[in-house]
Amino acid sequence: MNSNLYNMKTLVAIPCFNEADNIQECVDSLIAHKLEKNIAFDLVIVDDGSDDQSSDIISKYKNELNVISSESNEGLAEVFNSILYFTKKNNYQRMLIFDADLQYPVGDVGDLISKLSEENLDIVIGTRDFKNIKHFRKSKKFFQIFGSFIVSKLIGVKIKDATSGFRSYSKKAVNVLLTSNKFTYTVETLFQAKDFNLKIGNFDIGTTKETRPSKLFKSDFQYIRNTFSIIIKSLILYKRNFSNFLFLFFTIPGGMLLSRFFIPYFRDGSNSGNIQSLVTGFSYLIILFLLFIYLSLYSFLTIRFNKVNKDNFNPKHT
């Protein structure tokens, strides 16, 4: 066993919301894996306002793990922020997130942790083999593969599974990441990672299990819509050069409309026609300019708010 599994203080965090059917098996599996492989890590469960029997089951492990919780369901993005806070507060050098529903193989926990140090990485993503996941519909496989490809191209780093929640983080990553959306942390933090020059790696994990329906979204359409919204927002916040390019690109239609009036005007000294193109072109560019100003202010204020919030973070889970 690699010595890196022993000499760095490590945390395994388990997000939990109404996981009474799974949480006991999840904790038992992680503890058994820890003992079997002699891996040194602490456990923390983030109970995100569960209203089933999850809390009662978790209480049985009070001597074996830490628990932080909230009175209401705050969502996975806020759970992630609270995990970051807990990790920093307790001076852990590495952190891994493991879903309570056991969809990811517990046997790969040690490999995701050790890969951080072995390859000097800041984020290691446990990547699923979509083509061989039988319980995924073809449409879901397509959007997972296509979405990961798009994110890879946008951030300039090869990402094989952009939405995988099975990830390990270095201390550097923990210190700089913070989600600003209310949906999930997976995609936005990849844009942040590139912005903060964090090194990202992929690790091909074993077989994933079919589990209960997602509690994060009600339909594939809602998931795609929310993820697309996060990508657009992340482009605005963390890829300003790309946003500026898009702005310049979208000025082309307005410029073409104005040219229909101004080319004859400068060529002939006057132009009594093409007034509609002139009005439409100016209106289009004015709206585009106002949108650009709005998005620039939104980007500046959000980044500023995130910085202040990061420095003075008040966790929802305690």
Side-chain angles (χ1 to χ4, degrees):
M1 185 65 64
N2 193 300
S3 61
N4 284 325
L5 294 177
Y6 302 97
N7 58 18
M8 299 180 73
K9 190 178 179 183
T10 303
L11 178 71
V12 173
I14 308 171
C16 174
F17 173 63
N18 288 350
E19 293 286 359
D21 294 335
N22 302 304
I23 192 62
Q24 181 169 333
E25 182 182 358
C26 176
V27 174
D28 288 344
S29 298
L30 285 168
I31 293 175
H33 179 67
K34 176 181 179 180
L35 295 174
E36 178 186 354
K37 300 297 183 180
N38 196 23
I39 305 173
F41 61 76
D42 295 336
L43 285 171
V44 62
I45 293 178
V46 186
D47 185 0
D48 191 31
S50 297
D51 53 17
D52 63 356
Q53 300 302 310
S54 295
S55 300
D56 295 333
I57 297 172
I58 293 170
S59 65
K60 300 176 183 178
Y61 296 93
K62 60 182 179 180
N63 296 323
E64 299 177 83
L65 49 77
N66 299 286
V67 180
I68 57 177
S69 60
S70 61
E71 293 295 327
S72 59
N73 179 238
E74 301 293 339
L76 186 57
E78 198 60 47
V79 166
F80 179 75
N81 287 339
S82 292
I83 291 172
L84 294 177
Y85 179 84
F86 183 88
T87 305
K88 287 185 284 189
K89 179 182 177 182
N90 292 279
N91 198 33
Y92 286 99
Q93 295 171 291
R94 299 177 300 192
M95 181 268 288
L96 178 138
I97 295 181
F98 189 83
D99 286 355
D101 61 4
L102 283 168
Q103 65 170 299
Y104 299 110
V106 68
D108 288 333
V109 166
D111 291 320
L112 258 72
I113 293 172
S114 62
K115 190 176 176 71
L116 286 169
S117 302
E118 290 173 354
E119 300 186 18
N120 193 29
L121 298 171
D122 297 301
I123 301 175
V124 176
I125 303 172
T127 60
R128 296 163 288 185
D129 183 6
F130 294 117
K131 294 180 180 179
N132 292 316
I133 299 179
K134 296 180 180 180
H135 57 273
F136 274 21
R137 294 186 299 275
K138 289 184 178 180
S139 59
K140 185 172 183 177
K141 292 181 181 180
F142 169 79
F143 283 114
Q144 290 283 4
I145 295 172
F146 180 69
S148 297
F149 171 78
I150 293 298
V151 171
S152 297
K153 293 300 180 183
L154 290 175
I155 68 175
V157 178
K158 185 177 181 181
I159 303 296
K160 297 168 66 176
D161 189 352
T163 61
S164 170
F166 189 26
R167 301 183 182 187
S168 57
Y169 298 85
S170 70
K171 185 173 183 178
K172 178 182 177 182
V174 168
N175 285 336
V176 298
L177 295 176
L178 186 76
T179 56
S180 61
N181 73 85
K182 300 298 182 182
F183 185 55
T184 183
Y185 62 92
T186 53
V187 174
E188 182 184 357
T189 51
L190 294 177
F191 283 89
Q192 285 185 335
K194 182 63 177 177
D195 200 47
F196 288 118
N197 296 315
L198 301 180
K199 298 177 182 178
I200 307 174
N202 302 283
F203 179 83
D204 295 332
I205 62 176
T207 304
T208 56
K209 297 181 181 179
E210 182 176 8
T211 59
R212 46 89 178 135
S214 174
K215 297 175 182 177
L216 188 61
F217 53 90
K218 296 180 180 179
S219 66
D220 287 348
F221 174 76
Q222 182 189 29
Y223 175 75
I224 293 170
R225 181 192 65 194
N226 289 347
T227 302
F228 179 76
S229 174
I230 291 172
I231 290 175
I232 297 300
K233 179 180 178 181
S234 297
L235 285 173
I236 294 170
L237 292 177
Y238 312 114
K239 300 283 288 184
R240 291 302 304 161
N241 289 338
F242 185 81
S243 301
N244 293 338
F245 169 78
L246 285 181
F247 170 74
L248 292 174
F249 177 80
F250 281 111
T251 61
I252 294 175
M256 293 178 66
L257 287 169
L258 292 179
S259 69
R260 297 187 63 191
F261 174 85
F262 281 109
I263 289 177
Y265 178 83
F266 287 114
R267 183 188 63 209
D268 303 328
S270 64
N271 183 10
S272 58
N274 303 116
I275 302 300
Q276 185 175 0
S277 296
L278 178 66
V279 173
T280 304
F282 266 124
S283 299
Y284 174 86
L285 290 176
I286 289 172
I287 293 172
L288 186 65
F289 178 74
L290 292 175
L291 179 61
F292 177 77
I293 294 298
Y294 168 78
L295 293 177
S296 296
L297 287 173
Y298 168 79
S299 176
F300 172 79
L301 293 175
T302 301
I303 291 175
R304 177 63 181 169
F305 174 79
N306 286 350
K307 185 179 185 305
V308 173
N309 197 26
K310 187 186 301 181
D311 294 338
N312 304 279
F313 184 68
N314 183 26
K316 300 291 181 64
H317 306 83
T318 56

